[in-house]
Amino acid sequence: MDRNKALGIVKQQLTEHRYLHTIGVMETAIELANKYGADPQKAELAAIFHDYAKFRPKEEMKKIIIEQNMSQDLLVHNTELWHAPVGAFLVETEVGINDHEVLNAIKYHTSGRMNMSILDKVIFLADYIEPGRHFPGVEEVREIAKYDLDTALILSLRNTIQFLLGKTQPVYPDTVLTYNALLLGKKEEKKGE
Ligand SMILES: Nc1ncnc2c1ncn2[C@@H]1O[C@H](COP(=O)(O)OP(=O)(O)O)[C@@H](O)[C@H]1O
Ligand SMILES: [Fe+2]
C-alpha cells in the first residue's frame, strides 16, 4: 500500500496530535530500518498503522481481546496496552494488510515480546524516540539508538518499567521478559567478545 493511501486511512482514526506522532514514528522507523537492516517499506507501513486502534472504545477492544482469544491477562492490565494487539487485528480485518511481520510489529509495539524481530524492535523504538517525544530519559535513548539498537531498547524498557513501578502500577509481564531477554543476550554477546 502506498504511503499516501495508508496515511489517508489512518488519519481518520487519529487526533491531529496523534497523527503528527505517527508521522514522527514513520520517519524515525524508516531511518532505523535502513540503519539496522529491517525492510524500510514494512517499517513505513507498520509505523503508519501502529496506533490505528489508539482511540477505539475500550468496550470494543475488550470484546475483540476476548473473541479473538488474545492473551486474556491483558484484560486485567493497563488498558493502554490494548491498542497494540487489537490494532494489529483491525489493521488486518479492516485495512486488509496481511503481512505478518508488519502485523507483529504493530501487535508488540507497546509490550515488546521475547525474540523480537528487527522490525519489531525498530517500531518499538521509533515509537519511543520520535522527535515529538520529550519525556525524561528520551534524549539518552535517542543518542544510543544511533549506534546500538538493543541497548537503546533495553534502556527504553527499563525506563518504562521504572515509570510503572514509580506509580506502583502492575507491569504487564511480557515487557519484563523482553527486557531480561535483551539484557541477558547482550551479556552473552559481551562474553563472546
Ligand atoms: N508492561 C507494561 N505494563 C503496563 N503498562 C505499560 C507497559 N508497557 C507500556 N505500558 C504503558 O503503555 C503506554 C505507552 O503506550 P505506547 O503504545 O508504548 O505509546 P503511545 O501509545 O504513547 O504511542 C504508557 O502509558 C505505558 O506506561
Ligand atoms: Fe505510538
Side-chain angles (χ1 to χ4, degrees):
M1 182 184 289
D2 91 312
R3 174 187 288 199
N4 290 332
K5 183 168 179 226
L7 287 171
I9 293 170
V10 82
K11 194 169 184 153
Q12 293 157 44
Q13 303 286 329
L14 303 174
T15 59
E16 184 57 20
H17 177 263
R18 188 54 51 168
Y19 180 69
L20 294 175
H21 160 71
T22 297
I23 299 285
V25 174
M26 178 190 75
E27 289 164 351
T28 307
I30 292 168
E31 218 176 292
L32 290 172
N34 285 321
K35 183 190 290 279
Y36 292 109
D39 178 329
Q41 281 185 312
K42 294 190 181 196
E44 178 180 86
L45 210 50
I48 288 173
F49 288 112
H50 85 283
D51 272 346
Y52 181 79
K54 187 76 179 174
F55 299 103
R56 286 298 173 107
K58 295 285 184 259
E59 272 318 300
E60 181 189 353
M61 290 202 276
K62 186 172 173 183
K63 201 159 159 283
I64 291 170
I65 289 169
I66 295 168
E67 284 173 359
Q68 297 304 318
N69 210 9
M70 297 178 181
S71 19
Q72 299 303 293
D73 61 341
L74 276 166
L75 298 173
V76 297
H77 276 279
N78 186 350
T79 56
E80 279 299 306
L81 290 154
W82 295 2
H83 76 284
V86 170
F89 171 75
L90 292 173
V91 164
E92 184 170 18
T93 52
E94 290 183 354
V95 183
I97 289 174
N98 42 37
D99 179 305
H100 242 71
E101 287 180 300
V102 170
L103 295 174
N104 275 338
I106 295 169
K107 184 173 179 182
Y108 299 110
H109 88 264
T110 302
S111 63
R113 63 161 165 157
M114 289 177 75
N115 306 315
M116 287 170 93
S117 68
I118 304 277
L119 185 64
D120 293 345
K121 293 178 180 178
V122 158
I123 298 302
F124 188 99
L125 195 58
D127 189 30
Y128 193 85
I129 64 170
E130 64 93 1
R133 297 294 206 187
H134 303 293
F135 42 71
V138 70
E139 230 6 88
E140 181 193 15
V141 180
R142 240 180 227 131
E143 197 44 46
I144 293 170
K146 289 176 184 158
Y147 57 86
D148 187 335
L149 182 62
D150 282 356
T151 302
L153 266 168
I154 289 165
L155 287 184
S156 69
L157 288 157
R158 180 203 64 186
N159 292 350
T160 297
I161 294 165
Q162 281 176 330
F163 169 74
L164 293 161
L165 293 177
K167 297 200 300 176
T168 321
Q169 279 192 355
V171 181
Y172 186 61
D174 279 10
T175 305
V176 180
L177 292 174
T178 308
Y179 170 76
N180 288 348
L182 284 167
L183 197 55
L184 295 171
K186 263 288 170 203
K187 283 191 186 334
E188 279 308 300
E189 210 181 278
K190 284 209 169 65
K191 265 195 218 150
E193 280 166 3

